[in-house]
Amino acid sequence: MTDINDLGVATDSAPVDDLAPERKQRGSLIVAFAWAIVVGWILVALLAPWIAPHDPGTQSLVNRLQPPGTSGHLLGTDAIGRDVFSRILHGARLSLGAAALVAVFTSIVAVSIGLISGYFGGWVDAVLMRIVDIWLAFPGLILAIAMVTALGRGLDKMIIALVLAGWAGMARIVRGETLQLREREYTMSAQVLGVSKPGIMFKHLLPNIMPTILVVTALDIGSTILGLASLAFLGVGIGSDVVTWGSMLSDGRNYISTAWWVALFPGLAIFTIVLAVNLVGDWLRDRYDPRSPFRRAKLDAAMRAAGEGQLDAPGPAEASRVAGDGTTKSPDGGQR
Amino acid sequence: MTKFVLKRLAHTVIVLLGVSVMVFFLIRYLPGDPVDLMFDGGDDEATAEAIAAGREAFAEGRGLSGSLPSQYFNFLGEISRGDLGTSLFRNVSVTTLIRQTLPLTFQLAVAGQLVNMLLSFPLGMLGAAKQNSIWDRGGTALALIGTAMPNFWQGIMLILVFAVWIPIFPVSGVMDLGIDLREVTHIPVVDAVITGNWAALKSLMMHLALPAITLGASASLVRILRSSLLEVKHQDFMDAYRARGVRERSVTLHMLRNALPTTVVIFGIRLGTIISGSVVIETVFAYQGMGWLLINGINQRDYPLVQGIVLTFTVFTALASLLTDIVHGWLDPRVKVTSSA
Amino acid sequence: MTAPIPEAADVAADDTTRPPALELRHLTKSFKVGSESFGRASRVKAVDDVSLQIESGTTLGLVGESGSGKSTIARLVCRLLTPDSGQVLVDGVDVAEGRRRSKAYARKVQIVFQDPTASLNPRWKVRRTIAEGIRAHKLRPRDEIDARVRELVDLVGLPENSLDRYPHEFSGGQRQRIAIARALAVEPEVLVLDEPVSALDVSIQAQILVLLQNLQDLTGLTYLLIAHDLAVVQRFCDRVAVMRTGEIVESGDPSIIHSNPQHPYTKALVEAHPVPDPHRRGAWGIKSSTNGQGSVA
């Protein structure tokens, strides 16, 4: 099925009429700001137990639904008197920590399957990619919900569920990259030299797809955080016994007419971190993703200046190269 | 072209079969024995034997006994006949429930898609036309913000502003109570128009407004539209047009026409986002569509219902994807050539 | 220095000494072109019933234009591709015995590609690139690998400090030397050279060819040299085979092919590629020498 990666459209870095220098300046200011936010939240997540003024679980029916600014409660209290500010700080631990775990495990699964599929080709590739198709046929959140429902409640199960739900997209990207790298002559040289298949995968292919993996993971973290928050909001897989921004919003929804702050601040928190993470991801992609046309252009210019020709570009004979098993594959690695 | 369509069709069929297997297993894989989960032990005073017998009968009735492959084929048979089981909680057939709620979700999804297009197209085109201008920068920024904002938060904030502080729109629901609407197509908005029931239409629209805006604002086409338009704009043949003195307006038209295939595809891809989004947004607005029903079903452990809705959502997404693929192939002949499933 | 060059006619006759180092028998390979499913998959015969023999320690030049199938032959010989039919024999043994590409085969046949930039992993230091084969076959205990790598680098005429540099720090000719060193590291019997000098400057071409010749004199390697430039083939090869659209159209002694081409295609090829007078000494005039890179000792 058509996949955004097959289109050859770079979603964000488009050819520019001119790259005004001030634009780049301003751009880097924003990126720096974004990095600051990301680092800031990471620190918050790590230090929450120490910097939070109150215990996030302490209830106080006397103090319920206090507006922000009430003494001792910077952002007010919720329906059962818990301090909103402290809960937000603690909520960061789950949002960031769980998202990080999901990202790491999803990468591992996706890379393994993508590498095997791309390198071995043949029926292995066909079967695995059909499975990827089936996975991708489900609307994103729906699959996550289904997985979570099947696995049961609990943070650990939710993380597993999200990994299971989300590996397919990255696997397809990895497979595409692998298909390209497989045709590189240094890979073929290694084959002829007699290096074992796993050897080639680990020593030649994996290091070269690392940049792509890192960039894709970074770009995905934003939606992972959103997905986690959505699930928490819906009450699927995690109850409001755990401090999450999503469940805070769910509570806040019920009190929207009387206590708007209960819903505003957790949402703001999610918004700022996701925005920052997305901006950082974009920046990483522009800098490190070998597929990004932006980077390719800069790299080529640099290499030409050094008189070296193009680094890492496919060799001249590669255009007519056919795959090792005799079938023709489309150069963009599209699953077709 | 026919070959292409057939190939895509075959592919979709295979994928849907796979989907059915997955859904089948997901429900079977529930923690604990599905039979125990669903079977109410019945009368406390009944003997252990009677309970066991009742359990057996229940299991057989629900297709939960027998070998796994045979269960699956039963399942498949039932689905193809349109039988999605019976809701545990409401004791109605799942199909009926879906038939009641699907039109509501459908009209919300369409409204959301319209809002999205209304927002994205002008911004995207402006951005491509006046690259790097304040419009472009602003539009991109808006798009970035839109994708980073959790849609449920957006919805809640909209409720806060436009339903609580400035009470224009209703807070929740599909339509005001007490309005009678005759059902023709079962899609409320369409029915209201057909039957000339303007009170109903107004009520429906008011209830639809905030959810649709929320849905439309979060799935952002802007950046991609802008990119694809720019790609086309910078291609050589566009300069050829300009060199020949073709008016800028016509050039823009050509640009649009060439960017259309990509846009169509993005549309299709966003469909998944819209559907996922509707689940959340219906919950925020207590809009009793299929998404709202799904969450209810999960909380009530109504597994046949959950299974049926997940399946329905996925089938619809897959079919819409297929349609998008075909339209894309029709618009852009290159797709058919590179395509070899 | 070299053994008498056998005439094409002689070779088919009994070779009592030893089987040819490399033999291709009725090799055929075709590829699918166009959409694969729903019928209408046309096949293109890249290699059509090709048979060749190369005596040990000699060089066979395979010439032809682009698309003649010579690159496919290269890939078939080093088993990057499997033939549809026919056999590849090394030392008289069919290589298809056993698994598709057994590891031991790597010790028999190696390849040097046309583009030295693409054939070296840009992230690896030269040392690692050359050592890759040694490690893969465990040819030396770990503490001796370094010494061996230094030997090889010296053999191809590169200074020892090359080992800790990256490919992009070298010129095209030097990179090709690295590629040759890498191939020699596994001590093969046959070396397939897929247009090894086509991507290089003319002045460098001679150096590399001289190096290859010296290596052959030193080690008795058998070469299958693929090229499109008749001049290269003329100077360097003991025998020549001309390929066109998958078939061998003519083969024999290089100077005879040049002066008296039989097949119309060969005639056209010769006419298109003026070759400097083989009897005149100059850049091309000396076949094996001690000038330039690489000493025989």
Side-chain angles (χ1 to χ4, degrees), chain C residues 35-95:
Chain C
S35 96
E36 303 169 10
S37 30
F38 288 92
R40 241 206 315 136
S42 51
R43 296 185 78 94
V44 164
K45 265 203 179 145
V47 173
D48 192 358
D49 194 27
V50 165
S51 299
L52 288 179
Q53 285 175 335
I54 314 182
E55 294 303 315
S56 176
T58 66
T59 305
L60 176 78
L62 193 57
V63 238
E65 55 188 17
S66 313
S68 55
K70 42 193 216 297
S71 275
T72 313
I73 294 260
R75 275 163 181 66
L76 285 169
V77 170
C78 62
R79 303 304 276 185
L80 281 169
L81 296 173
T82 38
D84 296 336
S85 65
Q87 297 170 301
V88 175
L89 300 113
V90 175
D91 278 343
V93 176
D94 188 340
V95 304

Side-chain angles (χ1 to χ4, degrees), chain C residues 129-228:
Chain C
T129 296
I130 298 180
E132 188 178 16
I134 303 176
R135 291 213 179 89
H137 295 270
K138 298 195 174 51
L139 292 177
R140 293 282 190 286
R142 204 168 301 173
D143 46 352
E144 288 177 34
I145 292 184
D146 207 49
R148 175 67 179 145
V149 168
R150 267 183 269 131
E151 252 177 54
L152 288 162
V153 133
D154 187 49
L155 196 60
V156 297
L158 285 172
E160 197 175 301
N161 62 23
S162 314
L163 289 174
D164 288 305
R165 314 229 310 257
Y166 290 93
H168 67 264
E169 302 180 56
F170 295 93
S171 70
Q174 290 170 319
R175 286 184 212 149
Q176 205 62 306
R177 292 174 193 267
I178 299 171
I180 293 171
R182 173 178 63 185
L184 292 178
V186 296
E187 297 156 21
E189 294 172 30
V190 175
L191 197 54
V192 177
L193 302 155
D194 189 358
E195 307 214 35
V197 295
S198 307
L200 305 173
D201 283 342
V202 177
S203 50
I204 310 289
Q205 290 187 14
Q207 291 178 13
I208 301 294
L209 289 173
V210 163
L211 168 66
L212 286 169
Q213 181 64 62
N214 291 337
L215 288 169
Q216 184 177 49
D217 294 341
L218 184 63
T219 61
L221 277 169
T222 309
Y223 290 158
L224 172 60
L225 174 69
I226 297 177
H228 61 260

Side-chain angles (χ1 to χ4, degrees), chain B residues 6-27:
Chain B
L6 283 174
K7 221 187 298 188
R8 278 275 163 270
L9 202 60
H11 188 253
T12 307
V13 167
I14 296 177
V15 167
L16 283 179
L17 271 173
V19 166
S20 70
V21 171
M22 263 191 77
V23 175
F24 172 78
F25 272 108
L26 278 174
I27 300 300

Side-chain angles (χ1 to χ4, degrees), chain A residues 17-333:
Chain A
D17 287 335
D18 69 273
L19 250 175
E22 333 88 51
R23 178 185 186 216
K24 285 163 76 177
Q25 241 288 13
R26 214 175 317 159
S28 42
L29 204 63
I30 295 181
V31 172
F33 200 47
W35 269 110
I37 296 183
V38 170
V39 171
W41 275 116
I42 295 180
L43 286 173
V44 165
L46 290 170
L47 301 173
W50 292 279
I51 54 178
H54 297 265
D55 178 88
T58 316
Q59 305 174 13
S60 162
L61 293 173
V62 177
N63 244 344
R64 47 195 304 270
L65 295 177
Q66 297 296 318
T70 331
S71 70
H73 297 285
L74 186 62
L75 300 178
T77 63
D78 70 358
I80 46 181
R82 298 177 291 196
D83 177 36
V84 171
F85 183 58
S86 308
R87 284 174 68 79
I88 288 192
L89 295 183
H90 278 263
R93 318 194 88 204
L94 199 128
S95 292
L96 297 188
L101 282 174
V102 169
V104 166
F105 287 121
T106 307
S107 309
I108 295 178
V109 173
V111 167
S112 313
I113 296 186
L115 259 182
I116 292 176
S117 186
Y119 186 61
F120 285 93
W123 64 266
V124 170
D125 183 34
V127 165
L128 283 174
M129 283 302 112
R130 279 303 154 274
I131 294 180
V132 165
D133 282 346
I134 294 173
W135 239 259
L136 293 175
F138 288 86
L141 193 63
I142 307 252
L143 183 59
I145 291 177
M147 289 282 179
V148 171
T149 313
L151 290 175
R153 295 181 90 79
L155 185 58
D156 50 339
K157 304 208 182 71
M158 198 160 90
I159 293 179
I160 297 178
L162 279 173
V163 171
L164 284 177
W167 63 266
M170 195 188 296
R172 202 193 257 186
I173 296 176
V174 169
R175 176 217 182 241
E177 286 286 294
T178 308
L179 280 180
Q180 285 203 13
L181 288 174
R182 192 176 78 166
E183 303 306 314
R184 291 287 157 84
E185 278 167 358
Y186 56 81
T187 316
M188 295 201 283
S189 297
Q191 276 179 1
V192 177
L193 275 174
V195 180
S196 64
K197 284 193 157 96
I200 294 184
M201 287 201 282
F202 275 106
K203 294 189 214 151
H204 287 282
L205 297 175
L206 191 57
N208 282 296
I209 59 178
M210 266 313 188
T212 307
I213 299 173
L214 287 172
V215 168
V216 172
T217 306
L219 288 172
D220 274 351
I221 287 208
S223 36
T224 308
I225 297 179
L226 280 175
L228 270 164
S230 302
L231 288 177
F233 172 77
L234 295 169
V236 174
I238 274 201
S240 39
D241 44 317
V242 188
V243 183
T244 66
W245 291 337
S247 58
M248 287 174 73
L249 267 161
S250 174
D251 294 337
R253 159 80 183 83
N254 298 326
Y255 290 91
I256 192 67
S257 32
T258 48
W260 49 268
W261 53 91
V262 186
L264 176 73
F265 294 116
L268 205 54
I270 301 176
F271 171 55
T272 55
I273 182 127
V274 171
L275 185 61
V277 162
N278 283 351
L279 285 171
V280 168
D282 278 353
W283 175 79
L284 281 173
R285 195 240 352 257
D286 283 343
R287 265 196 78 166
Y288 292 114
D289 188 354
R291 302 169 302 161
S292 137
F294 203 56
R295 180 175 181 260
R296 241 211 183 109
K298 277 177 26 187
L299 207 58
D300 284 348
M303 303 260 44
R304 241 175 273 127
E308 289 302 325
Q310 289 177 314
L311 178 70
D312 213 27
E318 202 174 272
S320 55
R321 193 75 73 211
V322 288
D325 60 352
T327 55
T328 328
K329 300 236 192 310
S330 71
D332 64 347

